[in-house]
Amino acid sequence: NRRTDGFVDFHFSTAPEKNDFPGYFDRLIDLVDDLQQNKGYKAADIVFLTRKKSDASLLIRFFEQEARQRKSMSKSNFSVVSSESLRLDSSPHLRTLMAALHWYMEPTQKSRVKLFALEYLSCQSKHLEPQDLVSIAQLSTETLFDLPGLNNLRAQLKDKMPVNELIELILSEIGIKESRTATPFILSFKEAFRVKFNQASLVDVEDCLSWWEEEGGAISVSMDDEVDAMRVMTIHKAKGLEFPVVIIPECDWAMDHS
C-alpha cells in the first residue's frame, strides 16, 4: 500500500480514567461528531476495534445507553453494529413478528399476548426503560389491547390467511417503513425465508416458527454499505478488511508477543 494520506492520532488515559464507565468513552462522542460533521465521513466509514469480545460488548453498551441520550443534540449517527447485533434475532421488528406469529397460533394464551405486546411496544418506542416493561407486563391483556396500534392488529389477525400474507400484514402494522435500521434485517429475513421454503408446496406458521428457532434467527445481515452504522469488531474479525477510519479505544495490551 503506497498511500501517503493517512493520519494517526493518539490519546492517553490514566488507570482511574479507564475504570470510569461510561465516562472513559465520553470523548468518543466528540470524536464521532468531528468525523461526521467536520471531516465528511459517514457512520459506515468508521470501525472500532477491540481485542476481546467483552470489550466490544462494553463499547456497544456505551453507544446504546449513553450516545442515545445525545442524539437529540447532535446530527451525527451514533448507531453501531457488530456480528452479534447483525443477527436477525437482534432485530426488534423481527422479534415482534415472531411474537405475533406465536400469538396467532395460540390466541388464548395470555403469556403469548403479553410477550407480543411487550415486543411491539419496545419496537415502537426506543426509550422504554426496564421498569416501564415491568409495568406493562403487569397490565391485563384487555388493557394492553387498548394501547395504540394493538387493537387494530388484533382485529386483522383474527382472519386465517397464507403465511406470506400474514407476515406482510404484521410487518406493515408494526411500522417498518418508518424505521431505516429495520430495512436490511427485513430484506435479509425475506430472502432467507424464500430460499428455505422456495420448493415447499405448503408452508404454515408452525414451519416458519420452527425454522426461525432452529436456524433463521441466527442468520446475519451482511455488513455492507446498506447498513449506515459504525462497526464494532475484534481485531481478529477485522483481518483483511479496510475502513476509512479505524479507532482502537483501548489499545492497552502488550505488543511484544515473545
Side-chain angles (χ1 to χ4, degrees):
N1 191 337
R2 297 183 179 180
R3 292 178 57 180
T4 60
D5 57 346
F7 175 75
V8 178
D9 191 17
F10 291 92
H11 292 272
F12 297 94
S13 300
T14 64
E17 288 175 329
K18 185 180 183 301
N19 293 326
D20 174 27
F21 178 84
Y24 176 67
F25 288 142
D26 277 346
R27 70 184 64 180
L28 296 180
I29 297 295
D30 293 333
L31 177 58
V32 169
D33 255 333
D34 182 55
L35 288 168
Q36 295 189 27
Q37 302 305 317
N38 301 323
K39 301 293 195 304
Y41 294 104
K42 59 183 181 179
D45 293 330
I46 303 169
V47 61
F48 292 92
L49 298 185
T50 66
R51 191 182 185 192
K52 298 179 293 185
K53 288 183 179 180
S54 58
D55 295 332
S57 298
L58 193 65
L59 189 60
I60 291 170
R61 180 159 65 95
F62 165 73
F63 277 106
E64 289 178 345
Q65 296 180 356
E66 300 297 324
R68 180 174 58 187
Q69 300 176 10
R70 297 164 169 83
K71 283 186 177 181
S72 60
M73 300 179 289
S74 173
K75 296 180 180 179
S76 296
N77 179 1
F78 293 114
S79 301
V80 292
V81 293
S82 67
S83 57
E84 288 301 312
S85 66
L86 286 172
R87 283 171 53 116
L88 293 185
D89 57 12
S90 73
S91 166
H93 292 81
L94 290 177
R95 289 200 307 270
T96 303
L97 168 64
M98 294 304 151
L101 292 178
H102 274 294
W103 169 51
Y104 179 82
M105 292 286 291
E106 301 176 282
T108 61
Q109 289 290 328
K110 291 184 178 180
S111 60
R112 294 299 189 192
V113 176
K114 289 200 171 187
L115 178 60
F116 164 64
L118 287 171
E119 291 287 7
Y120 176 84
L121 292 171
S122 296
C123 187
Q124 298 303 307
S125 175
K126 303 302 182 185
H127 303 292
L128 282 178
E129 299 296 335
Q131 60 267 27
D132 297 326
L133 297 178
V134 172
S135 299
I136 293 169
Q138 294 172 345
L139 297 175
S140 68
T141 54
E142 287 306 314
T143 301
L144 284 172
F145 282 112
D146 285 336
L147 297 173
L150 287 175
N151 202 35
N152 181 50
L153 184 57
R154 177 171 66 167
Q156 296 189 64
L157 290 183
K158 286 183 178 179
D159 299 326
K160 295 293 182 181
M161 62 184 71
V163 65
N164 286 326
E165 293 182 21
L166 183 61
I167 289 173
E168 291 295 336
L169 169 64
I170 296 171
L171 290 176
S172 175
E173 287 296 321
I174 62 180
I176 60 170
K177 291 181 179 179
E178 288 75 33
S179 176
R180 180 183 61 180
T181 57
T183 302
F185 290 89
I186 302 303
L187 292 177
S188 294
F189 166 79
K190 289 182 176 181
E191 176 61 17
F193 184 86
R194 183 192 66 78
V195 170
K196 177 65 178 180
F197 296 108
N198 187 42
Q199 302 300 323
S201 56
L202 183 63
V203 181
D204 58 23
V205 175
E206 189 172 352
D207 293 327
C208 178
L209 291 172
S210 296
W211 165 73
W212 176 261
E213 294 295 332
E214 294 170 6
E215 56 181 290
I219 295 173
S220 292
V221 176
S222 174
M223 273 194 185
D224 56 30
D225 290 337
E226 291 184 13
V227 182
D228 187 21
M230 299 179 291
R231 274 57 171 169
V232 178
M233 61 182 69
T234 62
I235 291 176
H236 176 73
K237 289 281 188 180
K239 288 182 178 178
L241 301 179
E242 182 177 334
F243 290 87
V245 179
V246 178
I247 302 172
I248 306 178
E250 297 180 282
C251 186
D252 59 352
W253 58 86
M255 298 297 180
D256 186 357
H257 297 284
S258 59

